[in-house]
Structures are given as structure tokens and as C-alpha cells.
Amino acid sequence: CALGIVLFELVAGARLFHRGPPWLSMAAVVEASVPALPDTTLDTIVQSALAKDRERRTPTAEALAAELETLAS
């Protein structure tokens, strides 16, 4: 999930869950949805990396890298 946050922030150029005070940022991690990225294919990859449900989340950094490599080729 942390790698998904870094990926989102690199692509979007903005902090994902920053809300000022730490307790508001922590609440955003649990409650806020992830904004969509303009590129739908990349958005699908990022949304999967950030899924709150562990069963729906990209399982490993290696799997995430494979998805990104496929997108880049």
C-alpha cells in the first residue's frame, strides 16, 4: 500500500492523504477514496495498488512492477 501511495504521488504530483494535522491525514487513509488519474490504464494499476481490501490489492511490489512494465511496453 505504501508503494501505491508513492506511485500515486509521483504521477499526480500531489500528496494523496495529506490533510494537515497527523490525525486528519490518518483518518483520510481509512476513510477517503483515491482520486482518479487522467490515464485510465495507469489509474487502474494505482487503484489496485491502493485498494483498502487486501484481497483486491496488488499482492506484491513485484506484481506491481510487472503491471507497470506491461503498461510501459
Side-chain angles (χ1 to χ4, degrees):
C1 190
L3 186 55
I5 293 171
V6 172
L7 178 59
F8 177 90
E9 291 179 354
L10 285 171
V11 172
R15 301 280 306 273
L16 178 56
F17 295 120
H18 181 69
R19 302 293 190 270
W23 64 88
L24 291 178
S25 295
M26 301 262 313
V29 169
V30 174
E31 298 169 357
S33 59
V34 177
L37 296 170
D39 180 305
T40 56
T41 305
L42 184 56
D43 183 59
T44 299
I45 293 169
V46 171
Q47 294 290 340
S48 177
L50 292 170
K52 293 183 188 324
D53 179 358
R54 181 172 275 192
E55 297 297 319
R56 299 180 67 206
R57 191 178 317 140
T58 306
T60 64
E62 184 177 23
L64 180 58
E67 290 178 7
L68 292 171
E69 287 174 5
T70 300
L71 175 64
S73 59

